[in-house]
Amino acid sequence: MSRQSQRMPLIDALKAVAALLVLMNHFSSYGPLAEAARDYFPSVFNWLFEYGRMAVQVFLVIGGFLAARGLSANGQALDASPLPLIWKRYLRLAVPYLAAIGLAIIAAAIADRWMEDDAIPARATFLQWLAHATLLHGLLGFDALSAGVWYIAIDFQLFALMALLLWSGRVRIVAPALVLAVATASLFWFNRDARWDNWAIYFFGSYGLGAAAWWASDRKQMSAWLGVMLTISIAALIIDFRLRIALALAVALLLGFGRRTGLLERWPNVRPLAFLGQISYSVFLVHFPVLLLANTLYAQTDYDSSLSTLVCLGLSLAASLAAATLFYRWIESPEASRRITGACDGLFANTLTLARKVPLIGTL
């Protein structure tokens, strides 16, 4: 089966819309261009500033849905050690992520030379870069080098936690029950305390809803899983209503019924949405360097009108999508990722071979 035929148009469409909302949230949050946009169009850009970030819930639910599909399609436990799967997930995230961090550092250095703004990250230190490379920057308290990089660390934590839970449950029913139990704890306790927002447990409620949506979409288990998922979510919302959790529940139900009815693989058949969904991770990664450079150029101009602000925003968004397209082709795509990791493996092997040929000081 071709890779194209394995894609799910509904998920691509949701990722496309969510990526655009996150992008617009950041373009309405950082720099003089965002300030001008909110001054000229307060209702639209204040809404994007306030609510655009909730689109992250879409990615959380989809992440849990796809993790359940890949790790426990029939609700079974993981038999083998989850460590190779976790390492594979790290490489999948880290190869494009580290490349994007490099672009963000370069863009910040350029912007810092020509503009003064709080959106510009401070000059990166080696320890700060190392914390980002190991996805520990949030836990260790380092300032982010790019907007939204907290999510990559959380995504990795969530996948690792999911894999460990499924591995811990050796019986078919126990494995998904552990996932549901931790998701319930997240919804009722951890997600209500912002002090946990650097840890996977804070977001695992939404991630677990995505996993439950996959298991609920199975014909044999739909009634039971759907009933449990709705009961837990509605009870959590009654105790403490959170719009982000209501959105996560809506997306989970859409995915579950989409798979059950077959719409997941058939609708919507819109090629631009499918393409944007495919490159959504690249959009997420590279739009901030573009944002910094766009704000730098805008700060150097004398344009001061609603029309010029809209034009600059439109060009900046188009540049972000163009950069994401190139980034996906050369860095993020499976072919490019395999090429990069293969080159790194070859470089490591050659370095190790060379090191073995160099005589030790003690033997001279």
Side-chain angles (χ1 to χ4, degrees), residues 355 358-364:
V358 177
L360 296 176
I361 294 177
T363 63
L364 294 178

Side-chain angles (χ1 to χ4, degrees), residues 243-304:
L243 185 58
R244 61 184 183 273
I245 300 302
L247 175 60
L249 176 61
V251 174
L253 290 172
L254 177 60
L255 291 178
F257 282 108
R259 184 190 175 215
R260 178 68 174 80
T261 59
L263 287 178
L264 191 68
E265 293 84 11
R266 300 197 310 266
W267 181 86
N269 188 19
V270 181
R271 294 186 68 180
L273 284 178
F275 176 73
L276 187 54
Q278 186 177 22
I279 67 168
S280 58
Y281 186 45
S282 291
V283 173
F284 191 84
L285 288 174
V286 304
H287 75 274
F288 187 69
V290 176
L291 181 153
L292 288 177
L293 297 178
N295 274 280
T296 302
L297 290 174
Y298 182 78
Q300 303 306 309
T301 67
D302 295 327
Y303 299 130
D304 188 16

Side-chain angles (χ1 to χ4, degrees), residues 113-349:
R113 183 177 179 85
W114 300 100
M115 179 179 68
E116 292 186 8
D117 193 271
D118 293 338
I120 304 172
R123 181 173 297 181
T125 65
F126 175 74
L127 285 179
Q128 187 180 18
W129 180 88
L130 187 61
H132 279 71
T134 55
L135 299 177
L136 296 173
H137 48 280
L139 298 178
L140 297 178
F142 284 95
D143 291 334
L145 293 173
S146 184
V149 294
W150 64 269
Y151 176 80
I152 289 88
I154 291 298
D155 181 275
F156 177 69
Q157 287 186 40
L158 287 168
F159 182 87
L161 178 56
M162 177 87 156
L164 290 169
L165 289 172
L166 291 172
W167 177 70
S168 300
R170 300 300 193 198
V171 183
R172 189 175 188 274
I173 299 177
V174 172
L178 282 175
V179 173
L180 187 62
V182 176
T184 301
S186 174
L187 290 172
F188 279 90
W189 291 284
F190 296 103
N191 186 257
R192 299 168 61 196
D193 187 348
R195 290 175 297 180
W196 289 96
D197 64 0
N198 283 316
W199 297 87
I201 191 66
Y202 181 84
F203 300 94
F204 199 79
S206 298
Y207 201 79
L209 284 176
W214 173 267
W215 292 319
S217 60
D218 186 279
R219 284 183 171 87
K220 298 177 182 178
Q221 307 179 59
M222 184 173 185
S223 298
W225 273 102
L226 184 61
V228 171
M229 184 173 70
L230 283 173
T231 300
I232 292 173
S233 301
I234 292 173
L237 290 172
I238 290 174
I239 291 175
D240 184 3
F241 182 82
R242 288 145 286 170
L243 185 58
R244 61 184 183 273
I245 300 302
L247 175 60
L249 176 61
V251 174
L253 290 172
L254 177 60
L255 291 178
F257 282 108
R259 184 190 175 215
R260 178 68 174 80
T261 59
L263 287 178
L264 191 68
E265 293 84 11
R266 300 197 310 266
W267 181 86
N269 188 19
V270 181
R271 294 186 68 180
L273 284 178
F275 176 73
L276 187 54
Q278 186 177 22
I279 67 168
S280 58
Y281 186 45
S282 291
V283 173
F284 191 84
L285 288 174
V286 304
H287 75 274
F288 187 69
V290 176
L291 181 153
L292 288 177
L293 297 178
N295 274 280
T296 302
L297 290 174
Y298 182 78
Q300 303 306 309
T301 67
D302 295 327
Y303 299 130
D304 188 16
S305 68
S306 58
L307 179 60
S308 63
T309 300
L310 278 181
V311 170
C312 289
L313 272 173
L315 292 175
S316 302
L317 296 176
S320 296
L321 297 181
T325 301
L326 294 175
F327 190 87
Y328 178 82
R329 178 179 179 182
W330 296 107
I331 303 294
E332 193 216 333
S333 68
E335 297 83 1
S337 182
R338 283 193 295 268
R339 186 170 61 247
I340 293 170
T341 53
C344 291
D345 289 342
L347 180 61
F348 177 77

